[in-house]
Amino acid sequence: MKYRRSVVAQDQSVAASSITTFDLPVNPLSFLIVTMRFLNVTDEATLAEVLARITSATVTRFGSTIFSASGADLQKLNAIMLGNMPILSNQVATDNAARYITMMIPFSRKPYDPAEGLPATQRGELKLQIELSATETAMDNVSFQIEAVEMLDAKPKQYLKLTTLSLTPVSGVENDAVLPIGNKLAGIALFSTTVPTGTAFTTSADKVRLLINNVEDTIAAANWESIHGELIRKIGHREDYDASADNDDLSLYGLLDFSPLNDDQYLVDTKGASSAVLKITGGDTNAIRVFPIEVVAI
């Protein structure tokens, strides 16, 4: 078995408020490596300002979305799905300093796994689309390096699909996040705008349970604190890569893990189901994002 790493785009300049499309390779694909390069404007662009420049990164196959996330979510999902936090290079406050951040878009739970990844396609059927925001007050001269890792001669049986669902909850009651059906779920990642960081335990996504065909499945009940806190088992301790010590860089994220051993034995199957709903008890009315991580059979 061999793999091939190739450059899809070399230092391609991308204008503010633009949508840029990249054609991807045709061989079975394990993951993409997306590097955004830029220059500081006046002083140091913060991690949040850098990630906010990527409004969305979307991969489509035959025109259907198989991966979609904002820059901020993509960085955190790298930690949750792959166990390591992408870091921001050259953290200096010099005007026009050259800086970059590299993130992966995975199509398997284990990179380089020949049994899991996108199957071979024809030229033009598989595309990456990056939408850039308008603001250039913190950074400018944005360009991208896109690289792909193909698994030559591999015949994957399945691949990962991840999409973003948005929900504005009603406080004090259960809110329905309607999940896609037809595939198996390797997990559900969550974003909660409000989490217990002040003097109260208020959380936008306070408590969850999972219903398949209106019957509780796997998650009978789970609280935000444990959903987030269990990430330490998945990825270990993580804090900001900057001057602030002991910050929890994943404080707004959690994971319902249906692949705790990185295999298929605990996957939640929605094939043949008429409904799959994540019931989320809202602690306030701030935004929640839900990221179903599907395993799609080929």
Side-chain angles (χ1 to χ4, degrees), residues 7 28 61 64 93 128 158 178 181 193 235:
V7 175
R61 180 171 177 251
S64 297
L128 168 65
Q158 56 196 28
V178 179
I181 56 176
T193 297
I235 66 171

Side-chain angles (χ1 to χ4, degrees), residues 80-276:
I80 292 170
M81 298 173 69
L82 301 172
N84 284 290
M85 182 76 75
I87 61 174
L88 185 56
S89 74
N90 194 24
Q91 298 197 49
V92 297
T94 307
D95 186 26
N96 286 326
R99 306 177 66 198
Y100 68 92
I101 188 169
T102 296
M103 297 178 284
M104 293 170 59
I105 296 179
F107 304 112
S108 60
R109 286 163 286 175
K110 295 180 288 186
Y112 301 96
D113 183 359
E116 191 168 277
L118 287 177
T121 59
Q122 298 296 317
R123 178 64 63 184
E125 292 177 346
L126 190 65
K127 298 178 183 294
L128 168 65
Q129 189 174 77
I130 294 179
E131 181 178 359
L132 210 64
S133 71
T135 178
E136 293 198 309
T137 56
M139 52 182 283
D140 58 14
N141 287 276
V142 175
S143 64
F144 280 90
Q145 295 173 345
I146 311 294
E147 300 184 16
V149 173
E150 302 167 84
M151 301 177 291
L152 304 182
D153 302 319
K155 295 181 180 179
K157 299 177 181 179
Q158 56 196 28
Y159 63 88
L160 289 190
K161 175 180 179 180
L162 182 144
T163 50
T164 302
L165 309 176
S166 298
L167 176 68
T168 301
V170 176
S171 179
V173 300
E174 285 190 326
N175 300 265
D176 289 358
V178 179
L179 305 173
I181 56 176
N183 299 308
K184 295 179 179 180
L185 291 170
I188 303 172
L190 294 167
F191 168 89
S192 177
T193 297
T194 306
V195 297
T197 55
T199 59
F201 286 102
T202 303
T203 310
S204 300
D206 194 48
K207 190 176 181 179
V208 302
R209 61 192 183 107
L210 177 63
L211 273 62
I212 307 294
N213 289 339
N214 295 316
V215 177
E216 288 178 350
D217 191 309
T218 307
I219 307 298
N223 294 296
W224 172 263
E225 290 87 345
S226 62
I227 294 169
H228 168 71
E230 197 192 359
L231 283 177
I232 196 168
R233 175 191 62 81
K234 188 80 172 179
I235 66 171
H237 174 61
R238 288 292 183 271
E239 63 177 45
D240 292 343
Y241 286 89
D242 58 24
S244 57
D246 299 319
N247 281 356
D248 179 0
D249 202 29
L250 284 168
S251 63
L252 304 182
Y253 292 80
L255 177 67
L256 304 174
D257 192 359
F258 307 141
S259 182
L261 302 178
N262 234 14
D263 60 19
D264 294 353
Q265 61 182 310
Y266 292 112
L267 299 183
V268 174
D269 196 353
T270 70
K271 185 177 181 180
S274 59
S275 67

Side-chain angles (χ1 to χ4, degrees), residues 46-63:
T46 67
L47 177 62
E49 290 171 329
V50 171
L51 295 174
R53 291 306 309 273
I54 302 177
T55 302
S56 66
T58 303
V59 177
T60 60
R61 180 171 177 251
F62 306 124

